[in-house]
Amino acid sequence: MLDRLFSNCMLRPADLKPRYPGMKIIGTFNPGAIQLSDGSVALLVRVCEAPIEKRKGFHCSPRMDPQQGLVIDWLPEEEHDSSDPRVLRHRARGEHRLRFISYLRVFFSRDGKTIDNHNGPVIEPTSEYETYGLEDPRITRLGDTFHITVVTVSKHGVATSLMSTTDFRDFRGHGIIFAPDNKDVVIFPEKVAGRYIALHRPVPAMRFVPPEMWIARSDDLLHWGEHRQLLGSGSGWQNNRVGGGTPPIATEAGFLALYHAAHKAHDQPGVGIYCGGALLLAGDDPSRVAACTEGPIMRPQTNFETQGFAPNVVFPTAMIERDDELWVYYGAADENVGVTAFKRADVLAALDR
Ligand code: MAN
């Protein structure tokens, strides 16, 4: 674990009003973040809402119908396993539904630590591949364009789509770039040998292995190939799964990224403990792991990380260089947006494996 220079809860559900009638905000978390040319920070935050109404004997599951708008489905309690606070699993059919629906909202921060105002544009689910929500955006700047990977969830599975913007007001959708189930896609900040690079994280249904991180290359950001396994889960703090966290930044030593890892016994209910580790990928061939941290560099420690919708979760989703510091934006307890900072030299020195 590394010393943090500060930790600040930037946004929590109580800061916003629900968007949909009859709903409450249960999470504002897993933010994409990027520094703009004036030094301020643009954030794209996952906002998660759930129905207020309770019906005896039923669980509720919202979805966005492309024609009707928001619909709440009431699912019989006895037919569903609800041991995970996020999902309802049909006992006989095995199908999953989410207990909430997520969309994205833009925020700006002049100092990088506090949100300026809460009225930024919203990106809502629209297509049939987004009916259960838009989640966990990651932002990469290439030239004048911000490229955003977004997890799109529906009855067809958990896919990753691409969006782009130049101003955080108008957004263009480019469709699905990684088919289900695949999430935690982060795009590199520059091409290597003339090609775009991304990390992605397939979720194998035939569980030969817990979910691992992969790397892929592309000529146009839309069609991805040359897939290679990059980093598998290990023991201890990363036994349950690993996945891409922050889009990498280019350093003199190679590409530096934070990733997340979960610790949990396979049959243990709930989410487990999510920590962040660091990874250095070779600058000339990012499919080679040059170094990574032996243990987590950040683990849940402050109240807004250890308590909340999913206690004990830190989920890094963006990293910004500020002088000799690295500012990390992250989801805390699947409920809040946190920002913390490390000395850049401390992170590089921790890459000892
Ligand atoms: C997991 C969690 C949830 C998310 C679903 C679908 O259960 O990451 O937060 O809503 O996957 O992506």
Side-chain angles (χ1 to χ4, degrees):
M1 265 246 292
L2 296 184
D3 286 339
R4 301 184 186 186
L5 303 174
F6 62 84
S7 302
N8 187 32
C9 183
M10 282 183 98
L11 191 68
R12 48 179 92 239
D15 296 336
L16 302 179
K17 291 200 178 49
R19 182 159 184 84
Y20 306 109
M23 302 284 275
K24 59 177 183 238
I25 297 188
I26 59 167
T28 55
F29 60 114
N30 297 0
I34 196 113
Q35 190 154 30
L36 304 177
S37 39
D38 66 358
S40 66
V41 175
L43 295 107
L44 199 51
V45 175
R46 170 178 173 189
V47 182
C48 190
E49 299 197 1
I52 297 169
E53 190 189 336
K54 302 246 174 299
R55 289 191 194 169
K56 207 167 158 8
F58 292 89
H59 296 295
C60 56
S61 175
R63 72 188 148 86
M64 187 64 81
D65 183 283
Q67 274 81 44
Q68 301 171 57
L70 190 74
V71 174
I72 314 292
D73 294 322
W74 297 94
L75 310 175
E77 252 171 35
E78 74 276 4
E79 290 176 11
H80 291 85
D81 174 358
S82 59
S83 55
D84 186 320
R86 304 167 299 180
V87 294
L88 299 166
R89 194 179 61 83
H90 193 277
R91 284 185 215 279
R93 295 197 299 268
E95 290 160 7
H96 286 59
R97 289 290 305 262
L98 293 180
R99 292 162 173 265
F100 45 67
I101 188 159
S102 303
Y103 56 91
L104 310 180
R105 188 184 275 277
V106 177
F107 298 89
F108 295 99
S109 171
R110 272 185 296 267
D111 62 4
K113 277 188 191 173
T114 50
I115 301 283
D116 297 342
N117 76 64
H118 295 137
N119 313 320
V122 165
I123 306 170
E124 289 181 289
T126 48
S127 86
E128 68 164 303
Y129 301 109
E130 303 172 352
T131 50
Y132 300 170
L134 301 178
E135 305 179 346
D136 306 354
R138 272 43 172 240
I139 310 171
T140 300
R141 182 187 198 136
L142 289 161
D144 291 335
T145 304
F146 302 100
H147 299 271
I148 303 159
T149 63
V150 181
V151 176
T152 48
V153 193
S154 73
K155 67 176 183 192
H156 303 294
V158 181
T160 296
S161 298
L162 185 69
M163 292 186 331
S164 63
T165 183
T166 52
D167 56 8
F168 286 95
R169 287 194 167 73
D170 294 313
F171 293 85
R172 259 186 80 191
H174 304 279
I176 293 175
I177 54 170
F178 287 93
D181 278 350
N182 200 322
K183 60 204 288 194
D184 301 322
V185 177
V186 297
I187 296 174
F188 282 54
E190 53 192 57
K191 290 182 177 178
V192 178
R195 308 193 74 195
Y196 298 109
I197 313 280
L199 306 182
H200 63 106
R201 211 287 303 279
V203 187
M206 206 177 276
R207 214 174 155 100
F208 288 113
V209 71
E212 306 186 306
M213 287 164 70
W214 286 63
I215 189 164
R217 293 169 202 253
S218 170
D219 290 325
D220 59 4
L221 295 169
L222 299 177
H223 305 88
W224 293 88
E226 269 187 65
H227 297 275
R228 299 223 194 314
Q229 190 266 12
L230 183 78
L231 187 79
S233 57
S235 54
W237 67 289
Q238 44 187 358
N239 76 324
N240 181 259
R241 62 188 56 219
V242 290
T246 70
I249 56 175
T251 73
E252 59 291 347
F255 290 102
L256 175 67
L258 301 195
Y259 67 99
H260 66 261
H263 170 72
K264 168 170 112 84
H266 182 54
D267 50 4
Q268 184 190 330
V271 176
I273 300 172
Y274 274 74
C275 295
L279 188 65
L280 189 69
L281 304 174
D284 57 349
D285 176 12
S287 64
R288 189 167 66 77
V289 178
C292 56
T293 49
E294 179 72 46
I297 66 164
M298 60 189 285
R299 64 164 82 236
Q301 59 182 61
T302 63
N303 283 346
F304 69 92
E305 300 161 357
T306 57
Q307 293 159 33
F309 182 77
N312 294 312
V313 171
V314 289
F315 192 86
T317 39
M319 178 161 61
I320 291 175
E321 274 186 287
R322 290 199 162 210
D323 304 321
D324 61 349
E325 298 173 3
L326 295 172
W327 289 30
V328 177
Y329 295 82
Y330 61 102
D334 278 8
E335 185 169 319
N336 311 300
V337 171
V339 56
T340 189
F342 301 101
K343 285 271 177 224
R344 191 175 185 275
D346 288 353
V347 175
L348 292 174
L351 292 158
D352 50 6
R353 187 159 69 94

